[in-house]
Amino acid sequence: IPTIMPKQQQYLFLEKKYKPLTLCFDHSARLISWYGNLAHFGIGENIEKIDATKLFPLLVGMDLQKSTELPYVSLDNGQSADIHIRPNEEGFSVSLVDSSEQKTGHEKVQQVANDVSLLNSKLEVLTAKLEQKNAVEMVAHQITIQGAMMIAAGESIGNIKMKLQAVLPPEAE
């Protein structure tokens, strides 16, 4: 039984996890060759000399002589892939790497961030309500103290009522 070398193990692990696929196209965007798992990315076997834009409509209008990376692209078969476009002497290559796991992780992080944002908004509303309630309670406390002091000073009820109404907020009257 042959021994698998560490680099070979790493390659096999990466190939199993990310299922890389590279398609090579000539300058007229016709497929020259490919290596990798076509089926995983929803690409049929009968693709000889197919136009790149038929396989990947998102390439229409793109500068294919410029290196480009497109993360988390949703493919027709439901897979998510990072797509790497690289120019070369023959034309260009399109490499796909399965990014379903990373996309799911990214979506979970985004959902947590959205949840935190909503919770912060609710916290702001509740804090404002609490501050308003505390302000009302503070006014009520001050009025109670003033009323008690006036009663202790022997002021008349009519006079006390008039002075307290002057310090009450308009909605409390």
Side-chain angles (χ1 to χ4, degrees):
I1 299 176
T3 305
I4 296 179
M5 306 296 267
K7 284 194 179 217
Q8 290 171 317
Q9 287 176 329
Q10 184 179 15
Y11 175 78
L12 292 173
F13 168 77
L14 293 174
E15 186 174 271
K16 183 177 178 182
K17 183 172 181 165
Y18 298 110
K19 299 163 186 67
L21 169 64
T22 298
L23 300 107
C24 299
F25 298 89
D26 63 18
H27 289 287
S28 64
R30 297 275 174 212
L31 183 65
I32 301 169
S33 63
W34 74 86
Y35 52 95
N37 187 341
L38 293 170
H40 180 75
F41 297 103
I43 300 172
E45 292 289 328
N46 191 14
I47 59 171
E48 297 294 326
K49 297 186 180 181
I50 194 167
D51 187 88
T53 59
K54 296 270 192 249
L55 285 175
F56 307 106
L58 62 92
L59 298 179
V60 173
M62 289 182 70
D63 181 358
L64 301 174
Q65 294 306 306
K66 177 182 165 194
S67 290
T68 307
E69 294 183 13
L70 306 167
Y72 309 127
V73 175
S74 294
L75 303 174
D76 290 340
N77 70 343
Q79 289 293 340
S80 178
D82 290 345
I83 297 180
H84 304 268
I85 302 164
R86 299 284 182 261
N88 56 41
E89 291 176 11
E90 295 84 26
F92 64 95
S93 65
V94 176
S95 297
L96 290 86
V97 179
D98 187 304
S99 63
S100 300
E101 190 176 310
Q102 293 84 349
K103 182 180 180 190
T104 300
H106 178 75
E107 288 170 347
K108 286 179 182 178
V109 168
Q110 189 62 45
Q111 184 59 49
V112 168
N114 291 342
D115 291 347
V116 167
S117 179
L118 288 172
L119 289 171
N120 279 334
S121 295
K122 287 180 181 180
L123 180 61
E124 287 176 14
V125 168
L126 291 173
T127 300
K129 285 181 179 180
L130 183 59
E131 288 172 351
Q132 184 180 18
K133 182 181 181 233
N134 285 342
V136 168
E137 286 180 358
M138 183 62 82
V139 168
H141 180 70
Q142 290 172 350
I143 290 171
T144 302
I145 291 172
Q146 286 179 358
M149 289 172 51
M150 287 183 221
I151 290 170
E155 290 197 36
S156 71
I157 295 295
N159 195 25
I160 292 172
K161 186 177 177 183
M162 184 177 69
K163 287 182 179 179
L164 291 179
Q165 282 181 341
V167 296
L168 283 175
E171 67 272 358
E173 290 181 23

